[in-house]
């Protein structure tokens, strides 16, 4: 399955003049976490996420055909119509990396305009949704050049390209549940792109995710640094083994609709991710006191009410509260009355599980 060559175009395609397209891609929240990678975004363990619905990036790309092929990239980047040269190096690195798989990009000047649905400074990483929206626009151009490209191959390559920009972005193309990373329990799984998990019980297809914005600032240690600290980490191999076992267990939990199993596994995954940060060298702490307060209250609430409220964490202080749609009315009341106070400026985002990319 780890065959990059399948993504290199081998035939001459149509000559497409200037072309414009707009795509919206969601963020995602991992249930089994990706933490630790090899060269070119090959994950050290499989990860699974819920695709979100409301937290999205919308990206328009105008591909202007050049008179001569350039040997370098030509692009301009805007955020909501305003130039943002500071974002350009990251996008250039991404496009340079995908050029072997999308060589036709050298024939165009790219004018990229992007906007996030969530506030710019919300502590929510936008790289997953941003890279997947951009990859989707590029794959739309590829479809014009190679009209025989099937919808299935278009999606697969979109996830493949997005992964080269930001690993977790491979999981932001489809929904509601996506696996990225090889595992023997799922024969079509791959380290190169995400695949949908199709056998989950219905309850997991309408899950809610309310994001408590404990800290809206930039996190102190980036994910790139965090992934790197997994090299030479004393617990790295055990962590990768644990994540593989968790994936296998999660498959059964999802299929059986096992809510207790889900709550237990998802929380242990979140805390394992942060345990890696606490025990790396140098060590660091991204949770805030309010993160811990929320965790304690969520556990207390679940115990006293029997309702299936659980939490997960990304690489930051914010908390994702996960709960089934049929319990949302009561849990939303609890969140409004007891959880808002832990959020910076009382801000939170009500989101739920979604289906992935949308052409605008
Ligand atoms: O995609 P990256 O390189 O930003 O890494 C994301 C890692 C986590 O968000 C912490 C976990 C995950 O699987 O999404």
């Amino acid at each position: 399955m780890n065959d990059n060559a399948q993504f290199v175009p081998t035939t001459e395609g149509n000559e497409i003049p200037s072309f414009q397209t707009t795509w919206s891609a969601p963020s995602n929240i991992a249930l089994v976490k990706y933490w630790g990678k090899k060269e070119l975004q090959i994950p050290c363990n499989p990860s699974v996420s819920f695709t979100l619905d409301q937290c999205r990036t919308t990206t328009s790309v105008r591909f202007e055909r050049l008179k001569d092929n350039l040997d370098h990239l030509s692009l301009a980047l805007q955020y909501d119509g305003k130039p943002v040269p500071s974002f350009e190096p990251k996008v250039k690195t991404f496009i340079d990396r995908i050029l072997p798989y999308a060589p036709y990009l050298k024939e165009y000047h790219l004018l990229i305009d992007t906007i996030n649905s969530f506030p710019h400074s919300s502590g929510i990483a936008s790289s997953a949704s941003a890279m997947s929206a951009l990859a989707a626009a590029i794959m739309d151009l590829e479809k014009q050049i190679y009209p025989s490209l099937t919808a299935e191959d278009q999606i697969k390559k979109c996830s493949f390209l997005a992964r080269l920009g930001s690993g977790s972005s491979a999981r932001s193309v489809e929904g509601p549940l996506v696996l990225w990373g090889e595992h023997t329990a799922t024969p079509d799984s791959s380290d190169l792109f995400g695949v949908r998990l199709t056998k989950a019980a219905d309850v997991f297809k309408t899950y809610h995710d309310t994001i408590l914005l404990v800290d809206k600032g930039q996190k102190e240690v980036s994910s790139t640094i965090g992934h790197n600290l997994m090299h030479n980490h004393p617990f790295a191999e055990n962590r990768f083994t644990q994540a593989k076992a968790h994936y296998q267990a999660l498959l059964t939990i999802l299929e059986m609709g096992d809510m207790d199993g889900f709550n237990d596994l998802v929380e242990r995954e979140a805390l394992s991710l942060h345990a890696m940060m606490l025990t790396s060298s140098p060590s660091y702490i991204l949770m805030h006191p309010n993160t811990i307060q929320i965790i304690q209250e969520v556990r207390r609430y679940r115990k006293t009410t029997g309702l299936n409220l659980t939490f997960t964490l990304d690489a930051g202080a914010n908390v994702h509260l996960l709960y089934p749609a049929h319990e949302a009315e009561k849990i939303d009341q609890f969140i409004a009355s007891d959880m808002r106070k832990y959020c910076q400026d009382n801000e939170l985002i009500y989101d739920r599980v979604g289906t992935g990319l949308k052409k605008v």
Side-chain angles (χ1 to χ4, degrees), residues 35 122-125 214-227 229 274 277-278 280 282-289 291 314-318 344:
W35 201 240
S122 62
I124 311 242
V214 171
D215 181 7
K216 298 194 282 178
Q218 280 267 17
K219 56 193 172 202
E220 283 153 43
V221 182
S222 72
S223 289
T224 308
I225 293 174
H227 283 293
L229 288 173
H274 282 258
M277 302 170 195
L278 298 176
S280 64
S283 77
Y284 61 108
I285 307 175
L286 294 182
M287 290 182 287
H288 285 196
T291 313
D314 222 328
N318 297 336
Q344 197 178 345

Side-chain angles (χ1 to χ4, degrees), residues 28-35 37 41 47-49 125 127-128 165-169 171 180 219 223-224 227 273 277 313-316:
N28 68 70
I29 181 66
L31 305 172
V32 174
K33 309 288 181 183
Y34 150 60
W35 201 240
K37 63 177 164 181
Q41 324 273 68
S47 57
V48 178
S49 50
S127 57
S166 151
S168 56
S169 187
R171 302 186 313 240
W180 165 48
K219 56 193 172 202
S223 289
T224 308
H227 283 293
L273 168 69
M277 302 170 195
L313 306 168
D314 222 328

Side-chain angles (χ1 to χ4, degrees), residues 251-267:
L251 265 188
T252 312
I253 287 168
L254 293 173
E255 286 179 32
M256 304 300 288
D258 171 5
M259 308 297 284
D260 289 341
F262 182 80
N263 299 337
D264 171 61
L265 187 143
V266 165
E267 292 190 358

Side-chain angles (χ1 to χ4, degrees), residues 119 121-122 211-216 318 339-349:
S121 62
S122 62
I211 309 165
L212 302 181
L213 303 178
V214 171
D215 181 7
K216 298 194 282 178
N318 297 336
M339 295 282 104
R340 255 185 200 278
K341 61 175 183 264
Y342 296 119
C343 303
Q344 197 178 345
D345 304 324
N346 291 320
E347 264 189 63
L348 45 77
I349 298 175

Side-chain angles (χ1 to χ4, degrees), residues 3 17 20 62 144 163-164 178 192 210-211 219 248 252 279 288 297:
D3 175 16
Q20 168 138 13
R62 181 157 178 80
Q144 314 304 312
R163 182 199 104 243
L164 291 168
V178 177
L192 301 184
T210 295
I211 309 165
K219 56 193 172 202
Q248 182 115 36
T252 312
T279 51
H288 285 196
E297 290 223 21

Side-chain angles (χ1 to χ4, degrees), residues 83-123:
V84 273
S86 60
F87 287 4
E88 276 174 24
K90 195 162 183 193
V91 175
K92 278 203 167 117
T93 307
F94 167 59
I95 298 202
D96 268 334
R97 211 180 255 179
I98 67 169
L99 271 183
Y101 311 102
Y104 46 81
L105 289 176
K106 281 188 269 188
E107 294 164 22
Y108 295 89
H109 170 73
L110 275 61
L111 178 58
I112 304 169
D113 192 0
T114 193
I115 187 164
N116 292 337
S117 66
F118 42 93
H120 201 49
S121 62
S122 62

Side-chain angles (χ1 to χ4, degrees), residues 54-108:
Q54 298 294 312
C55 290
R56 308 186 75 91
T57 300
T58 300
T59 297
S60 296
V61 185
R62 181 157 178 80
F63 299 93
E64 283 163 6
R65 197 168 176 101
L66 298 164
K67 291 211 175 61
D68 300 306
N69 258 15
L70 295 179
D71 56 358
H72 63 273
L73 276 172
S74 170
L75 65 84
L77 198 62
Q78 299 184 338
Y79 185 86
D80 199 13
K82 294 180 196 76
V84 273
S86 60
F87 287 4
E88 276 174 24
K90 195 162 183 193
V91 175
K92 278 203 167 117
T93 307
F94 167 59
I95 298 202
D96 268 334
R97 211 180 255 179
I98 67 169
L99 271 183
Y101 311 102
Y104 46 81
L105 289 176
K106 281 188 269 188
E107 294 164 22
Y108 295 89

